[in-house]
Amino acid sequence: MTRAKTTTPSGASSATVSSGTSAPGWVSFVGSGPGDPDLLTVRAVDLLRQAEVIVTEMPEHEPMARRLLGLPQADAETAEPPETPGPTGPVFVDGGFGEDGQPLTHAARAKVVVKHGKKQRVVRLMAGDPFLYASGPEEAQACVKAGVGFEIVPGVSSVGAVPAYAGIPLTTKENREVTVVTCGGSVDWARYADDRTLVLLSAVGAISEIADALVDAGRPADTPVAMTRVGTTTEQSTVTSTLEHIAEDARAARMEPPAVTVVGPVVDLRETLSWFETKPLFGWRVLVPRTKEQAASLTNRLRGHGAVPEEVPTISVEPPRNPQQMDKAVRGLVEGRYEWIAFTSVNAVRAVREKFEEYGLDARAFSGLKIAAVGDKTAEAIAAWGLRADLVPTGEQSAAGLLAEWPPYDDVLDPINRVFLPRADIATENLVAGLIDLGWECDDVTAYRTVRATPPPAPTRDAIKTGKFDAVVFTSSSTVRNLVGIAGKPHPSTVIAVIGPATAKTAEDHGLRVDVMASKPDVELLVDALADFGASRRAAMLEAGQEVTKPSERSSAARRSRRRATGSSSR
């Protein structure tokens, strides 16, 4: 039997196995980092995409991987993938618990990894780093024993990441030495009596004894201490104190594991360097009622401001019931029947493009045709098709704004007097009437239907009605109507943010108070406007000497008092 050298899928040398040929399976031990999915390495994400099996360690690993891979989330109650069709992706295996619901031992978990690794490409997701305070070494040794090839993909460790997210550097030019101490066993604290920075792991339950021991060893009682729980996530919270008071302050803040504790002068820098917990929407639970296809850019921007977005599909975009009208219009476009085509939404662009692809047409069919777009986002969708919009409103980006700048028909300058207007089945008639008044004839064609989605799960409906969401962002009038229709009105405590005047009017018609409106109909500007609202709200609380809370955390009476005082000034 020869000693064969196996390689990683990318060709880099890795573990060796005793075999005549390379094993068909492979195990990648991947560090998932401290909690924030954005801290996964590029290599980790690439391996997740290649994986046939993903063995998880933490409850949040599977939903995180599904989101990264664009897969539907498993049902919260059955833990099974939803029945709706879509990409299946890898098989997820719970590496924390066995089929009997009991926690797996290290040896049992290693058997699960080896079993799948013998035949399939396996990603073993591990919290933090596989080789730092983890079971990676034991499981990798089991792979060696079984002749299964493996590789190690380091992850960002909580040792440095959690303090960084708390705004605490572990070293400075004045503090160059740092020591990491695991507090689970017996520790001789007299060894740490100097002023070096200490990073304490598993210290929450014993922090009183640890602090007393450090003071007895010679550290000043007023030495700064910070304790950060569930670091790098939007549930992160940090308590700053001193060795003398950290035990009582941690109890008062109900600090629980997992937490990282930092001891030393560097903690004082948090006062000026705190950047994560001070984000304007930090920890806000924000409802995003949108079509599933359109929610990604909005939710990503919300996360960038520290929010926890929760998408609730309220609209399903579907083809028209009778496609013949659209077929006829597209043939007319190709035959030169129109002078203009007016796109009033990104969905309209998508619908026409899909029809073109169905007929085997491309952008050349638009030769000689003038193109109008209702706003910048629609113009961008047109540009992605290789076309340029000839008319985009410079003022209000709406049907009314488009109509205000539309040129009247001139029988000398315009060889054709007809406009192709592909749009939704529930669109208003204002644009058509306005174009007719300007002398144009319109082929008003239903390019797609917006259908009300099924109601969200009962817990989500309850959260909407009882004020457990901090904000809701409405990106169209139909999202307002459909959310209220399938889930009920948001609680009066919830901050209402809308994309423009038409959506604001619809919200108010449904009895909602509008707090935030985007300066232009743009989802990024809408999120930024909500973030500005959150920042102003936070600054006002700090100026008043109040604890910074989320809208869902304040009493209804306090909110009503605040609203009476501010009136419409928050809009």
Side-chain angles (χ1 to χ4, degrees), residues 43 127 264 351 390 523:
R43 177 64 175 159
D390 299 282
V523 291

Side-chain angles (χ1 to χ4, degrees), residues 260-324:
V260 175
T261 304
V262 180
V263 180
V266 292
V267 170
D268 287 337
L269 290 170
R270 170 177 161 80
E271 187 173 343
T272 54
L273 297 183
S274 178
W275 62 274
F276 186 58
E277 293 169 58
T278 56
K279 286 189 173 187
L281 301 177
F282 181 76
W284 282 36
R285 188 181 179 191
V286 180
L287 184 67
V288 183
R290 290 207 73 179
T291 61
K292 203 69 176 178
E293 297 80 6
Q294 295 176 322
S297 63
L298 192 151
T299 55
N300 288 339
R301 200 168 188 89
L302 282 168
R303 288 191 185 95
H305 287 297
V308 185
E310 187 168 327
E311 298 172 8
V312 175
T314 59
I315 298 174
S316 175
V317 178
E318 298 182 6
R321 294 187 187 279
N322 184 354
Q324 293 178 354

Side-chain angles (χ1 to χ4, degrees), residues 205-227:
I207 192 61
S208 179
E209 294 80 4
I210 292 169
D212 290 343
L214 286 171
V215 172
D216 291 344
R219 289 231 179 189
D222 61 355
T223 299
V225 181
M227 182 180 289

Side-chain angles (χ1 to χ4, degrees), residues 307-560:
V308 185
E310 187 168 327
E311 298 172 8
V312 175
T314 59
I315 298 174
S316 175
V317 178
E318 298 182 6
R321 294 187 187 279
N322 184 354
Q324 293 178 354
Q325 189 185 24
M326 187 68 167
D327 293 339
K328 180 180 177 182
V330 170
R331 286 197 301 270
L333 185 151
V334 175
E335 294 167 358
R337 176 179 171 81
Y338 302 107
E339 182 75 9
W340 283 90
I341 182 171
F343 291 107
T344 57
S345 70
V346 173
N347 283 328
V349 178
R350 183 180 296 119
V352 173
R353 188 167 185 175
E354 288 174 354
K355 186 60 68 173
F356 265 49
E357 291 171 355
E358 180 182 327
Y359 280 114
L361 300 171
D362 58 31
R364 289 175 293 181
F366 284 88
S367 177
L369 186 68
K370 296 172 185 171
I371 303 172
V374 74
D376 293 335
K377 286 299 173 185
T378 305
E380 288 175 12
I382 294 168
W385 199 356
L387 301 168
R388 181 179 62 84
D390 299 282
L391 175 61
V392 181
T394 56
E396 179 183 334
Q397 297 201 332
S398 65
L402 184 62
L403 193 59
E405 300 186 28
W406 197 287
Y409 171 68
D410 187 313
D411 57 6
V412 175
L413 298 177
D414 299 311
I416 305 169
N417 70 339
R418 190 169 293 275
V419 178
F420 175 22
L421 184 58
R423 55 181 185 159
D425 57 333
I426 59 173
T428 63
E429 304 296 327
N430 295 346
L431 182 57
V432 175
L435 289 173
I436 291 173
D437 289 342
L438 290 171
W440 296 94
E441 293 184 14
C442 286
D443 280 357
D444 185 20
V445 178
T446 298
Y448 61 96
R449 292 183 297 132
T450 52
V451 180
R452 181 175 291 180
T454 56
T460 302
R461 297 198 303 271
D462 179 70
I464 292 170
K465 296 174 183 177
T466 59
K468 294 177 183 176
F469 282 100
D470 298 290
V472 56
V473 288
F474 289 116
T475 57
S476 67
S477 291
S478 56
T479 57
V480 178
R481 289 189 293 266
N482 289 343
L483 180 71
V484 173
I486 65 176
K489 289 169 53 176
H491 191 271
S493 67
T494 307
V495 175
I496 305 296
V498 300
I499 200 165
T503 307
K505 184 178 185 307
T506 303
E508 290 167 348
D509 288 345
H510 283 77
L512 301 177
R513 178 210 67 257
V514 176
D515 298 291
V516 178
M517 186 167 70
S519 57
K520 289 169 57 178
D522 180 285
V523 291
E524 284 85 1
L525 294 178
L526 172 58
V527 174
D528 291 346
L530 179 60
D532 289 343
F533 177 92
S536 298
R537 181 179 177 277
R538 185 177 191 279
M541 287 181 172
L542 292 173
E543 188 175 349
Q546 300 174 350
E547 179 186 0
V548 177
T549 58
K550 297 179 290 186
S552 60
E553 294 172 335
R554 303 191 67 190
S555 70
S556 298
R559 287 196 192 93
R560 285 195 297 269

Side-chain angles (χ1 to χ4, degrees), residues 66 71-72 81 86-92:
R66 286 183 174 277
L71 300 173
T88 55
V91 173
F92 287 86

